[in-house]
Amino acid sequence: MALLPSGLAYSQVKKDTVTKEKKIEEVVMIGYGTQRKEAVTGSVATVKGDALREVPSANITQALQGRTAGVDISQTSTKPGAAMQIRIRGTRSLTGDNNPLIVLDGIPFVGSLGDISSSDIKSIDILKDASATAIYGSRGANGVILVTTNRGTKGQKPRFTYNTFTGVQTLFSKYPMMDGPQFAQLRAYATPAGNSTPLYSNGADESNSTNTDWQSLYYKPAMMTSHDIGVSGGTEGGNYNVGLSYYKQNALVPLQSYERFALRAAVDQQVGKMFRFGFTTNTNYAISEGNGVSPGAVLGYSPLVNPYNADGTPKTIMTTAGGIDQSWIYTRQNLEALRDKYVDESKAFASYNNLYGEVNLPLNGLKYRLNVGLDYRTANNGNYTGVGVFSTNPSAPSAAGRGNNQTYHWVLENLLTYDRTFGKHKINAVGLYSAEGNRLISSYMSAKNVPADFFQYYNLGQSPQADITVRPEDQSYSQTGLLSAMGRVMYTFDNKYMLTATLRADGSSRLAPGNKWHTYPAISVGWNVTNESFMQNIKALNLLKFRAGWGQTSNQAVNPYSTMGRMNVAPYNFGGTGSTGVYGDQAPNPGLGWEYSKTQNYGVDFGLFGNRLTGSAEYYKTNTVDLLTQKSLAPSSGWGSIVQNVAETENKGFEVSLNGLILDNPDGFSWEAGVNFYTNRNKILSLASGTQRDVNNLWFVGHNINSLYDYQYVGLWQAGDPYQNILEPGTAADVVGSIKVLYTGGYNADGSPMRAINADDRQIFDTAPKFQGGFNMRFSYKNFELSTVGAFQQGGILVSTLYGSASYLNRLTGRGNNVDVDYWTENNTDAYFPRPGRHLSGDNPKYSSTLAMFDASYLKLRTITLGYNIDKEFLKDFKINSFRIYFTVTNPLVLFSPYHKFSGMDPEPNSLGNENQAVSGYQSRQLVIGTNNPSTRNYLMGLNLTF
């Protein structure tokens, strides 16, 4: 969400206010063209590049967080260089891709937003409803993000820019683990019923007099830096923009880092009066180191172990829990000492190239344009672990692996555009025919007993042939294509009445013959009430526009070749000979077709008091039908599963955005502010064959896609509680102090429960928040400026695997270190967490998965920036146009978060649901707080220079 409706400089806003302009003349990108914001009938949100640069970061998705209503951006990892998850108006598909389409300078982009430097961006326009996204067809089913980069200006003298920031990352908070005395007390108290002997005694390396903070031996403040230099200019016939950027980020976790080099160039050239040509290229090279290093093991280390031997050398192996457990010790000192004995890195090169040619045809207003996109990306990853490294066996064999991924992508678009104004009538028509192709190649191989550390992963053939593994499932190739035709007409009468109609047809090679093509329409209308004659005397109202839209989009949300089925291989012994067999894994489906969405959108845009207060309010509803879902088959069929069009989901919600120029004094104090608020109600309407629930996938009709299915915590069993022996069979000595969950069964006539608590008592929990939003403010006084960006959400369920059963950090048995919790004792019966060592299920307290759920509410400041603009009169002598210095703090403050208040930790997720846990307990689509890199608070200094 841009702070100012026009995205213009502050002085321009002042000028607009003084002249009391009634029209917002901002031009926004709408896909294959531009349109005045005043005339837009679909749901389009714009964020200017200047607003993005208020949040210094390597990944512009971090700068987008909280900026736009209806756009939810979440962390999937806290490692350097990690991508973020973007959802526009909720999750639609059950198993398909829910990521929005990214369009870079008019061409679909196969990279990520993290591949684009924020210094390059002029604006980002987000298309949210079907009437806006239908022009991109199946690729835009989940919304579209249009990225427009900076270009030179016709007749502009060369202009040089230099943007840089550098700073330090510090620990936002440690994971809340027990210290030595707390852990020793827990271990002593964790005794089984009827026995005074603790479940686990001290191991050979443990002593109750020791108190080691393993996290302090692991984390270390880390540096990050960014440099971006560019030059732009133009002649009477063309323009250019060329730039080079560098970014480096180390991690608090040892051995981890991310480094990126990027080169960009854009050239436009007019040839005569009829022809125009140009190209844009973005090329980058990125190196990620140490991605396999994780703090998970460190958190579970016993604080009763001294990390050093008697002679002062660091220990590499420790024995704990009465000799049951042996662990390799991951301290920073031990990891950095490995040198050539360990490497885990990924090197990626990508080049994204757009070329175009445009010709003005003899008919006035008619143009033909050819767009060509040529993209290539390759990623090489390798890992090597030397003899005995990370193992309690010093002679454990060395191991290495090497993978390669390549993406080839091309787009060819033919566009015919007609744009004319006839008196009060304005017509813009676009016709498109396009073809797109993707080719993906990946491979991986591994080896053991690499003969020397210096080989690492570069020559796996040096290993014994019997120790080299090339698995068929690790090699893949796919080639897909998409053909499309589209027509769109935008009509405006007297700047009052607007109509946009789109018809798009896509043909996908992924789907079955007879179902490859799908045609879908979209239409939207708008009424600019402000321009009616009866509104002319209402001076305070500068814009009032109503709009409504309906449309369809589709999604080819299925893996290539799914129509043909899938075979897998398995090794087996035939007599004394090793052989490889083939079996049916996924059945073919010759009827596989599109899943598609139907969307309604209703909105109002307004501007008040000389456009000093602007905003919009919207309601939308999207039904996605014929969802592509993998259905399990009976073993007797000979197949494991089949992909079918079988389900339906719904997303609906409200969105409100407000932007205000509250105080306006160029020579004194000024205050600008913006806020957005949105809701999304997501639920599954139907599943395969009329079933109401799919427990294996955690899909339940009437509930959201990211639902949980678990028991409901209601407290702890206390001495004398009625019916304990029925509901939770077992001796009182074992059960009292353990977790009590909700019983949903029947009752006998005497009021006693009819059965024990069992799997039928599990509940469905909807995890989505009630509402979300963001805010931003900017204060200025003469040459000083202070800005802040924040985000908030209310309600929902946050899953923290630290406190549940998945991470093995809250076992309450004394085997490994425990999260610092208030647990039940005879003298502390009001505790929330159960009695240590009693009523266990495996390695954890029974029902301990219920302890992982927290209220997901929070309000947090993402950044606070203090800047100073050097006086222009002073800069004239140095021939400098502008010079700004600033200081930024990121992630400075969290408020109103129950989880933060309880744990001290950042309440935002940091892992996918199936990552960073001792055991898998959640679906990959569920974002959780796991044992990933800890959140950071960053202190940055930077400057922006133009001359």
Side-chain angles (χ1 to χ4, degrees):
M1 178 180 65
L3 284 173
L4 300 175
S6 65
L8 300 176
Y10 181 83
S11 60
Q12 181 63 48
V13 174
K14 173 64 177 175
K15 180 181 178 181
D16 291 348
T17 303
V18 171
T19 57
K20 297 183 179 180
E21 290 188 2
K22 295 182 179 179
K23 296 181 180 179
I24 299 176
E25 295 297 340
E26 181 184 2
V27 175
V28 298
M29 299 296 298
I30 55 171
Y32 302 114
T34 61
Q35 191 175 26
R36 289 182 305 112
K37 188 171 183 178
E38 187 183 26
V40 171
T41 55
S43 183
V44 182
T46 300
V47 183
K48 295 299 181 181
D50 290 341
L52 293 173
R53 287 184 281 276
E54 290 180 5
V55 183
S57 64
N59 193 328
I60 60 174
T61 48
Q62 295 172 337
L64 275 173
Q65 282 184 297
R67 289 283 187 178
T68 304
V71 181
D72 181 25
I73 300 177
S74 306
Q75 294 181 138
T76 60
S77 174
T78 41
K79 293 178 180 178
M84 302 186 75
Q85 175 182 282
I86 304 175
R87 295 290 180 264
I88 297 178
R89 291 185 168 180
T91 300
R92 298 166 179 79
S93 183
L94 294 180
T95 59
D97 186 8
N98 282 288
N99 294 314
L101 170 69
I102 299 171
V103 177
L104 178 64
D105 291 323
I107 295 292
F109 186 56
V110 294
S112 70
L113 286 177
D115 293 327
I116 308 169
S117 171
S118 61
S119 296
D120 298 341
I121 295 175
K122 180 180 180 182
S123 67
I124 289 181
D125 297 278
I126 301 173
L127 314 184
K128 295 187 287 186
D129 73 326
S131 64
T133 64
I135 194 169
Y136 285 103
S138 61
R139 297 172 301 183
N142 301 309
V144 180
I145 298 177
L146 305 177
V147 181
T148 304
T149 58
N150 293 316
R151 308 182 88 84
T153 304
K154 181 179 178 181
Q156 172 191 316
K157 293 181 179 180
R159 175 177 296 175
F160 294 87
T161 60
Y162 175 59
N163 301 304
T164 183
F165 65 83
T166 188
V168 62
Q169 305 164 88
T170 62
L171 195 64
F172 180 86
S173 69
K174 292 181 179 178
Y175 286 87
M177 307 306 298
M178 289 184 173
D179 61 20
Q182 290 173 323
F183 180 64
Q185 183 179 10
L186 168 69
R187 177 174 280 178
Y189 190 72
T191 59
N195 194 329
S196 60
T197 303
L199 289 171
Y200 299 100
S201 59
N202 286 353
D205 290 304
E206 292 179 292
S207 169
N208 285 358
S209 62
T210 301
N211 184 11
T212 298
D213 182 355
W214 291 102
Q215 293 185 74
S216 66
L217 298 176
Y218 195 68
Y219 304 128
K220 178 184 176 181
M223 298 297 296
M224 61 190 303
T225 186
S226 174
H227 301 277
D228 187 287
I229 187 169
V231 57
S232 62
T235 65
E236 288 304 314
N239 57 72
Y240 60 89
N241 186 309
V242 180
L244 180 68
S245 64
Y246 170 76
Y247 179 81
K248 174 69 179 290
Q249 179 184 356
N250 293 316
L252 275 65
V253 171
L255 305 185
Q256 276 191 7
S257 67
Y258 174 76
E259 191 173 19
R260 185 186 65 205
F261 304 84
L263 173 67
R264 66 194 183 274
V267 174
D268 301 287
Q269 182 62 48
Q270 185 77 33
V271 180
K273 294 183 178 180
M274 293 183 60
F275 298 97
R276 185 174 178 83
F277 303 93
F279 75 88
T280 302
T281 181
N282 285 269
T283 300
N284 60 66
Y285 176 64
I287 306 170
S288 295
E289 299 279 0
N291 285 329
V293 179
S294 169
V298 176
L299 301 179
Y301 288 167
S302 169
L304 306 180
V305 174
N306 189 326
Y308 301 102
N309 297 308
D311 61 0
T313 58
K315 289 180 181 177
T316 56
I317 296 173
M318 61 178 166
T319 302
T320 59
I324 294 177
D325 293 329
Q326 274 196 326
S327 306
W328 198 92
I329 301 176
Y330 291 83
T331 60
R332 177 175 291 273
Q333 187 175 5
N334 286 343
L335 287 169
E336 291 178 346
L338 292 175
R339 300 185 183 276
D340 286 347
K341 292 181 178 294
Y342 174 73
V343 64
D344 180 12
E345 63 186 12
S346 176
K347 300 176 181 178
F349 172 83
S351 182
Y352 310 107
N353 305 280
N354 307 337
L355 301 92
Y356 76 88
E358 187 176 273
V359 57
N360 294 320
L361 298 177
L363 181 61
N364 189 18
L366 188 64
K367 292 182 180 180
Y368 168 76
R369 182 182 175 111
L370 174 66
N371 291 329
V372 179
L374 300 171
D375 305 319
Y376 172 73
R377 179 182 175 88
T378 181
N380 296 282
N381 56 80
N383 59 82
Y384 171 73
T385 305
V387 174
V389 174
F390 305 148
S391 174
T392 56
N393 176 10
S395 59
S398 60
R402 181 168 187 168
N404 177 267
N405 298 277
Q406 291 179 309
T407 300
Y408 302 85
H409 173 254
W410 60 267
V411 178
L412 187 66
E413 296 179 332
N414 296 274
L415 284 159
L416 195 62
T417 304
Y418 181 69
D419 192 350
R420 285 291 305 275
T421 298
F422 304 94
K424 294 182 178 182
H425 305 273
K426 182 175 178 59
I427 297 175
N428 179 281
V430 178
L432 167 78
Y433 177 77
S434 70
E436 180 178 359
N438 269 291
R439 185 156 58 103
L440 306 177
I441 306 169
S442 68
S443 62
Y444 183 82
M445 62 184 299
S446 61
K448 294 189 297 184
N449 292 308
V450 179
D453 289 334
F454 60 79
F455 281 118
Q456 294 191 334
Y457 63 85
Y458 297 107
N459 193 344
L460 302 187
Q462 293 288 344
S463 298
Q465 293 300 303
D467 291 332
I468 299 174
T469 302
V470 182
R471 302 190 308 169
E473 58 266 38
D474 290 336
Q475 328 302 316
S476 68
Y477 173 88
S478 68
Q479 188 166 351
T480 59
L482 185 72
L483 288 177
S484 304
M486 179 275 297
R488 179 185 68 190
V489 176
M490 296 186 294
Y491 170 72
T492 301
F493 174 73
D494 199 20
N495 287 327
K496 299 176 185 178
Y497 314 110
M498 291 80 73
L499 170 70
T500 300
T502 305
L503 187 68
R504 171 101 183 197
D506 284 333
S508 173
S509 66
R510 297 172 184 248
L511 304 174
N515 294 311
K516 291 183 179 295
W517 284 88
H518 185 68
T519 302
Y520 32 91
I523 188 170
S524 59
V525 295
W527 176 30
N528 192 339
V529 184
T530 319
N531 290 335
E532 296 287 357
S533 58
F534 59 81
M535 296 291 293
Q536 299 308 304
N537 294 326
I538 304 178
K539 303 299 182 181
L541 183 63
N542 306 105
L543 174 66
L544 178 62
K545 182 181 69 176
F546 295 99
R547 48 190 169 81
W550 174 90
Q552 288 188 16
T553 56
S554 61
N555 194 351
Q556 48 176 332
V558 65
N559 291 328
Y561 315 119
S562 292
T563 60
M564 302 167 61
R566 183 176 64 219
M567 308 294 286
N568 263 347
V569 297
Y572 70 99
N573 289 328
F574 186 77
T577 304
S579 301
T580 300
V582 179
Y583 66 94
D585 180 26
Q586 182 175 293
N589 182 359
L592 201 63
W594 295 86
E595 67 176 43
Y596 60 95
S597 299
K598 304 174 183 178
T599 297
Q600 306 171 46
N601 190 85
Y602 307 95
V604 57
D605 303 321
F606 56 87
L608 299 168
F609 315 120
N611 286 325
R612 290 182 60 165
L613 176 63
T614 64
S616 65
E618 297 188 69
Y619 170 78
Y620 66 90
K621 182 179 178 182
T622 300
N623 284 74
T624 305
V625 300
D626 289 344
L627 282 160
L628 292 155
T629 308
Q630 195 163 35
K631 178 183 176 182
S632 298
L633 297 177
S636 58
S637 69
W639 298 94
S641 64
I642 187 172
V643 177
Q644 294 180 319
N645 298 93
V646 293
E648 181 178 357
T649 62
E650 177 187 85
N651 283 276
K652 60 183 179 180
F654 292 94
E655 299 171 359
V656 177
S657 298
L658 292 171
N659 300 290
L661 181 59
I662 300 170
L663 296 175
D664 180 20
N665 184 356
D667 299 320
F669 182 74
S670 298
W671 178 12
E672 306 159 18
V675 64
N676 67 79
F677 165 95
Y678 62 97
T679 66
N680 178 262
R681 299 290 179 263
N682 164 268
K683 65 180 178 180
I684 298 172
L685 298 182
S686 66
L687 291 169
S689 305
T691 57
Q692 294 298 298
R693 56 179 56 193
D694 181 339
V695 175
N696 288 335
N697 288 305
L698 297 183
W699 293 328
F700 305 94
V701 172
H703 297 272
N704 63 51
I705 292 175
N706 290 329
S707 294
L708 300 175
Y709 190 54
D710 205 345
Y711 298 93
Q712 182 175 331
Y713 175 99
V714 296
L716 301 178
W717 286 103
Q718 306 293 344
D721 280 356
Y723 310 124
Q724 173 261 303
N725 59 329
I726 300 175
L727 292 172
E728 197 62 47
T731 65
D734 184 52
V735 175
V736 170
S738 69
I739 298 171
K740 180 192 293 187
V741 297
L742 182 68
Y743 170 70
T744 61
Y747 292 86
N748 297 309
D750 61 358
S752 62
M754 299 178 66
R755 59 168 174 80
I757 293 171
N758 59 33
D760 292 336
D761 293 303
R762 289 178 293 176
Q763 308 291 306
I764 303 169
F765 297 90
D766 288 322
T767 61
K770 294 179 180 178
F771 61 83
Q772 297 168 266
F775 58 91
N776 50 87
M777 288 187 287
R778 180 181 179 273
F779 307 92
S780 62
Y781 179 74
K782 294 185 177 180
N783 291 346
F784 288 93
E785 58 185 26
L786 177 67
S787 63
T788 183
V789 179
F792 57 86
Q793 71 176 41
Q794 173 61 41
I797 294 177
L798 170 68
V799 174
S800 175
T801 64
L802 278 67
Y803 292 94
S805 55
S807 291
Y808 280 11
L809 294 177
N810 196 21
R811 290 181 286 188
L812 290 168
T813 61
R815 182 169 180 178
N817 198 11
N818 209 90
V819 183
D820 184 11
V821 296
D822 180 32
Y823 53 82
W824 190 98
T825 68
E826 290 87 347
N827 299 320
N828 187 33
T829 58
D830 291 334
Y832 185 84
F833 290 87
R835 176 172 184 163
R838 301 288 174 93
H839 207 53
L840 301 177
S841 176
D843 292 323
N844 292 283
K846 192 174 182 181
Y847 309 123
S848 61
S849 59
T850 63
L851 302 174
M853 290 186 278
F854 292 83
D855 184 340
S857 302
Y858 70 81
L859 182 150
K860 68 185 302 186
L861 296 183
R862 297 199 183 278
T863 62
I864 299 176
T865 299
L866 176 64
Y868 180 75
N869 295 284
I870 307 297
D871 191 89
K872 288 189 175 182
E873 292 299 322
F874 174 78
L875 296 175
K876 280 184 178 179
D877 295 336
F878 300 94
K879 297 184 179 180
I880 296 175
N881 294 330
S882 64
F883 187 11
R884 174 178 177 264
I885 57 175
Y886 63 89
F887 175 76
T888 297
V889 182
T890 68
N891 212 17
L893 184 65
V894 175
L895 299 170
F896 312 117
S897 167
Y899 183 73
H900 175 70
K901 182 178 180 180
F902 176 78
S903 67
M905 296 180 64
D906 190 330
E908 287 195 79
N910 65 11
S911 305
L912 297 175
N914 60 347
E915 293 180 329
N916 305 304
Q917 300 166 38
V919 294
S920 179
Y922 302 94
Q923 300 290 325
S924 62
R925 64 180 182 269
Q926 180 75 51
L927 300 184
V928 304
I929 292 180
T931 57
N932 209 327
N933 288 23
S935 293
T936 63
R937 178 178 288 123
N938 307 329
Y939 301 90
L940 307 172
M941 286 197 68
L943 64 86
N944 309 120
L945 176 65
T946 303
F947 58 92

